[in-house]
Amino acid sequence: MSVYDYCQLKKDIDVIKKNFPFIDVDVIGKSVNGRNIYSLRLGKGEKKILYNAAHHGLEWITAKLLMKFVFDYAKSYIKGVRLKGYNIRKLHERVSIYIVPMVNPDGIEISKEMKMWQSNARGVDLNHNYDAGWEEYKELAEKEGIGVPSHTRFPGAHPESEPESKALADFTRRINPEYVLAFHSQGQVIYWQYQDYFPPNSLEIAQKLSAVSGYKLDLADGLSSYSGYKDWFIKEFGKPGYTIEVGAGENPLPIEQFDGIYSDILEMLVMAETL
């Protein structure tokens, strides 16, 4: 299996810088092992939305999906052709789509050798390192025997203890997006709420995302219902946030699923102007 890793991401970033100067590329932070955490900005509109992927090491396919979208957006913009029926030049003027394709570059590298690895280089599960029921999660996790750094589910010493989650949280605070999509794998499901927080329009948007992707809507429970990125966004910003679980099977998903997954989620990615 050809893993979409940090090296491939850097190559793609270089291509984008060279060929698509209308796409802004930034580094919003560094991983534990010093790798860049990149962001890309598509468009220049006042409306801001944020997509991120690869919080987990085995879920590298989500980074590849978002980077393919960047290239397809760029080519559609240059050629003046529609993408999935949407006018990209019009979208470019009205919306700024911020993309953080690889939140956990160290974890992806480690997962190539340690096949169960989801955490960052310090053994912290980045998607349980946000300040949304973190204390409750920590207590529940310890009862499940998850009390020390591990390949998955360990929440860290405190919320945003890790440079990767801190970088994404700070970036989110800086741009203050209208809504966020956090891409994970797998399950073909959209999680759209946190506890008793139901921001305005959150269900309406979730239903639209479901309609164009075929993914079902669901409510998280148990350990998965605490301390995630979208949980924190909903709690802190009072705006809609979504976890999109792409594909089906076991992580890492086979690359053979890539084209089908991309086809499922593409309209979800370009319909930003209408949400």
Side-chain angles (χ1 to χ4, degrees):
M1 179 183 294
S2 179
V3 173
Y4 188 85
D5 59 11
Y6 181 70
C7 181
Q8 186 58 57
L9 174 66
K10 287 200 301 179
K11 290 178 181 178
D12 285 346
I13 293 288
D14 289 342
V15 171
I16 289 165
K17 287 179 177 178
K18 180 179 179 180
N19 295 286
F20 308 123
F22 53 90
I23 294 178
D24 293 331
V25 178
D26 194 9
V27 176
I28 64 170
K30 300 274 189 178
S31 69
V32 169
N33 288 337
R35 294 182 172 93
N36 290 337
I37 301 171
Y38 290 102
S39 72
L40 303 97
R41 179 180 178 178
L42 312 180
K44 56 184 181 181
E46 292 186 6
K47 181 178 180 178
K48 300 174 182 178
I49 59 178
L50 173 59
Y51 305 157
N52 63 74
H55 264 86
H56 291 135
L58 292 176
E59 299 176 15
W60 51 264
I61 199 169
T62 59
K64 185 176 175 68
L65 289 164
L66 290 192
M67 291 304 294
K68 177 169 174 53
F69 172 62
V70 172
F71 280 104
D72 286 350
Y73 177 107
K75 293 171 184 175
S76 296
Y77 178 80
I78 289 173
K79 295 177 180 178
V81 299
R82 291 177 177 266
L83 182 60
K84 203 68 176 181
Y86 291 82
N87 186 324
I88 295 301
R89 289 185 175 176
K90 182 179 176 182
L91 181 66
H92 188 85
E93 295 297 317
R94 296 187 178 184
V95 181
S96 292
I97 302 174
Y98 292 87
I99 293 178
V100 180
M102 192 175 288
V103 178
N104 185 11
D106 295 351
I108 290 175
E109 294 302 310
I110 296 169
S111 74
K112 291 191 290 186
E113 302 298 328
M114 302 177 67
K115 302 304 182 183
M116 297 174 62
W117 199 266
Q118 292 281 58
S119 301
N120 75 346
R122 287 203 288 237
V124 174
D125 189 322
L126 296 178
N127 205 44
H128 287 298
N129 191 231
Y130 295 94
D131 191 10
W134 184 90
E135 292 286 352
E136 292 92 331
Y137 175 85
K138 182 174 184 290
E139 184 176 336
L140 288 172
E142 287 177 347
K143 290 179 180 178
E144 296 287 333
I146 308 165
V148 296
S150 175
H151 67 279
T152 187
R153 290 192 168 184
F154 178 65
H158 55 80
E160 297 179 34
S161 63
E162 304 309 294
E164 300 93 346
S165 53
K166 175 68 171 169
L168 183 58
D170 284 346
F171 184 64
T172 306
R173 285 186 279 257
R174 175 155 62 88
I175 67 171
N176 190 22
E178 292 301 308
Y179 68 90
V180 301
L181 303 183
F183 287 87
H184 291 257
S185 62
Q186 39 61 37
Q188 298 178 330
V189 64
I190 300 169
Y191 294 106
W192 62 277
Q193 53 71 242
Y194 167 64
Q195 303 296 330
D196 294 326
Y197 294 84
F198 296 93
N201 301 322
S202 57
L203 178 56
E204 178 185 354
I205 293 174
Q207 289 170 335
K208 291 180 179 179
L209 298 175
S210 175
V212 300
S213 64
Y215 286 11
K216 66 181 180 179
L217 301 183
D218 204 351
L219 304 179
D221 58 12
L223 287 176
S224 64
S225 62
Y226 297 96
S227 60
Y229 172 79
K230 66 93 175 158
D231 305 324
W232 167 79
F233 181 79
I234 291 171
K235 171 179 170 284
E236 291 298 315
F237 290 78
K239 297 178 182 181
Y242 305 93
T243 296
I244 315 295
E245 296 278 1
V246 305
E250 295 184 2
N251 290 321
L253 295 180
I255 197 63
E256 289 78 15
Q257 285 198 31
F258 181 84
D259 290 343
I261 293 172
Y262 187 69
S263 178
D264 288 342
I265 70 170
L266 179 55
E267 189 167 355
M268 182 189 296
L269 296 171
V270 293
M271 67 189 295
E273 182 187 349
T274 66
L275 298 179

